Amino acid sequence: MARRVALRARSRQGTAPQLSRASHCRATASAAEERPLDEANWRRKHKYAVKLAYDGGNFAGFQLQAGVVSPRRTVQGELERCLTQLTGAERAVLGVGGVGRTDKGVHACAQWVHFWAEAPLRAGGRKLMGGLNGLMDADVRCHDVKEVPPQFHARRSALQKEYRYYIDTGPHLDPLRRHTALHLHQHLDMGALSEACARFEGMHDFSAFANSIRDRSARQTTKVRTIAQCTAEPTESGVVIVVRSPGFLYRQVRNMVGTLVRCGSGKVGPEEVTRLLEGQVPRSRAPKAAPAHGLVLHDVTYPSFVWDMDYCAKRGDDVYREILELKGIDVSFESDSNDSEVGQGATLRPV
């Protein structure tokens, strides 16, 4: 009996721990992902940026839905499908990244996207525009193509992003605008609307205007944002809300518009904006977000030098520091967060 116990003990000591089949598969998949990533970085030789416009009505947002059993159609997925055909590069090599992760139903006329190629594209990439527009579906189009320096990053190099939210007012819905503007039967008080907009401008904690994000890699550690402009401008059919900022929280603009509509319709006063920003009103009592179809990513501002191949070749990594300084960020501060307004010493570098 003692002999059998000793033999079992020696057997257990000399046997390496065995992984379950599921653990083994995860470990193998992880190792397989690391190898192609290193190879993909080595194969990335030339960088380009394309400017896209799209009707977001039939898209489940911009970002590719990785790990989903039945992934829905996205702008990134549509672009990658065409780029792989035109450049011959695999998805891992392309490294596609957009300036904004527009949500389902949100439109864009200035969605800048960067990607890599193994070989230089003909005519500096200018002929790529025709190829993309010939392959992509009719609800997305390429309006510009540029060869860019390696330091360029569609999101992190951007100084300002401008969103516009269109609201039509009046007794009758315009059927031609039902997918591109929110329709309200009542007219909005422009005075109250303008005062409420002004209260958003400046640096504030926008926790009350942010939705939670399921994707952990996209979660933002700070809810403080700076709104450079928030104005209400009259149009022939109603009003457009213009919001500019270096970066936004998830669904921040739509939540802001939801509050502005309540102010303009007289349901709450403009001071409600201040109460929400100061945390006097709980997030659960914040107004519902405005529908996605009225929102458009209208414009993006970049520093001129991020397009200059010669300048960036001479400046090297100092380009990242210059971008941070233009954003008013302390260049001595480094963070691994994904926040577009937080200093990112190492993570600002292109991937």
Side-chain angles (χ1 to χ4, degrees):
M1 180 67 177
R3 179 182 176 84
R4 285 198 298 271
V5 171
L7 286 172
R8 290 171 185 165
R10 284 197 297 271
S11 177
R12 286 194 297 269
Q13 292 171 359
T15 302
Q18 298 296 313
L19 291 174
S20 68
R21 178 172 295 184
S23 299
H24 175 73
C25 291
R26 285 195 296 269
T28 304
S30 177
E33 288 176 357
E34 291 177 2
R35 289 193 298 270
L37 182 59
D38 294 337
E39 181 185 352
N41 286 330
W42 179 78
R43 292 163 60 187
R44 292 173 176 173
K45 304 296 184 182
H46 304 270
K47 200 170 192 180
Y48 297 88
V50 295
K51 183 181 181 181
L52 301 181
Y54 51 85
D55 178 344
N58 292 322
F59 288 104
F62 171 81
Q63 192 173 11
L64 192 71
Q65 297 180 334
V68 180
V69 177
S70 299
R72 294 176 292 174
R73 183 169 177 259
T74 64
V75 178
Q76 182 181 349
E78 180 76 2
L79 178 62
E80 289 182 353
R81 176 183 67 82
C82 300
L83 285 177
T84 53
Q85 295 183 52
L86 294 170
T87 68
E90 302 170 0
R91 177 175 175 266
V93 176
L94 290 172
V96 169
V99 65
R101 299 173 178 176
T102 54
D103 204 3
K104 177 182 178 181
V106 177
H107 315 295
C109 54
Q111 174 71 268
W112 280 98
V113 184
H114 67 253
F115 70 93
W116 292 88
E118 298 182 62
L121 303 181
R122 290 187 300 170
R126 290 188 297 275
K127 291 188 176 181
L128 180 70
M129 187 187 308
L132 285 173
N133 289 334
L135 288 175
M136 292 190 296
D137 289 339
D139 52 359
V140 55
R141 280 292 177 266
C142 176
H143 286 173
D144 199 0
V145 179
K146 296 178 183 290
E147 186 172 7
V148 294
Q151 296 96 325
F152 178 85
H153 190 285
R155 178 170 60 87
R156 293 168 183 161
S157 299
L159 299 180
Q160 295 281 340
K161 289 185 283 187
E162 179 181 314
Y163 281 91
R164 295 192 174 192
Y165 196 97
Y166 292 89
I167 303 173
D168 289 353
T169 59
H172 305 294
L173 166 69
D174 183 349
L176 299 182
R177 291 174 55 82
R178 69 188 188 281
H179 298 308
T180 57
L182 170 66
H183 178 257
L184 300 175
H185 291 283
Q186 74 276 21
H187 291 279
L188 299 175
D189 183 338
M190 291 300 296
L193 202 56
S194 297
E195 182 181 345
C197 284
R199 292 173 182 256
F200 276 121
E201 294 183 342
M203 182 181 292
H204 306 284
D205 185 336
F206 282 88
S207 297
F209 297 91
N211 287 37
S212 58
I213 305 177
R214 294 181 181 180
D215 183 1
R216 292 185 178 181
S217 65
R219 290 180 182 174
Q220 297 140 317
T221 57
T222 177
K223 299 297 190 294
V224 176
R225 290 293 182 271
T226 301
I227 300 299
Q229 176 188 355
C230 183
T231 55
E233 302 173 4
T235 65
E236 291 184 1
S237 55
V239 62
V240 58
I241 307 296
V242 181
V243 186
R244 290 180 62 87
S245 173
F248 296 93
L249 300 168
Y250 181 50
R251 291 190 180 175
Q252 178 184 337
V253 178
R254 289 169 57 192
N255 284 319
M256 290 170 61
V257 173
T259 300
L260 291 172
V261 168
R262 287 178 61 83
C263 294
S265 60
K267 295 179 180 179
V268 295
E271 62 276 2
E272 183 74 1
V273 172
T274 302
R275 286 199 289 264
L276 284 164
L277 290 172
E278 294 178 351
Q280 300 176 21
V281 180
R283 176 70 181 89
S284 58
R285 289 180 53 191
K288 184 179 179 181
H293 68 273
L295 186 61
V296 180
L297 174 56
H298 181 79
D299 192 24
V300 183
T301 303
Y302 291 99
S304 59
F305 58 79
V306 299
W307 309 109
D308 191 327
M309 302 286 286
D310 294 334
Y311 180 86
C312 290
K314 293 177 182 178
R315 297 290 293 167
D317 283 355
D318 286 339
V319 170
Y320 306 120
R321 183 178 294 270
E322 292 180 46
I323 294 172
L324 292 175
E325 289 175 345
L326 287 174
K327 290 185 176 184
I329 296 172
D330 183 1
V331 295
S332 65
F333 175 74
E334 293 189 358
S335 170
D336 60 356
S337 92
N338 288 319
D339 296 339
S340 54
E341 288 190 286
V342 175
Q344 300 180 23
T347 57
L348 185 63
R349 290 166 175 77
V351 292

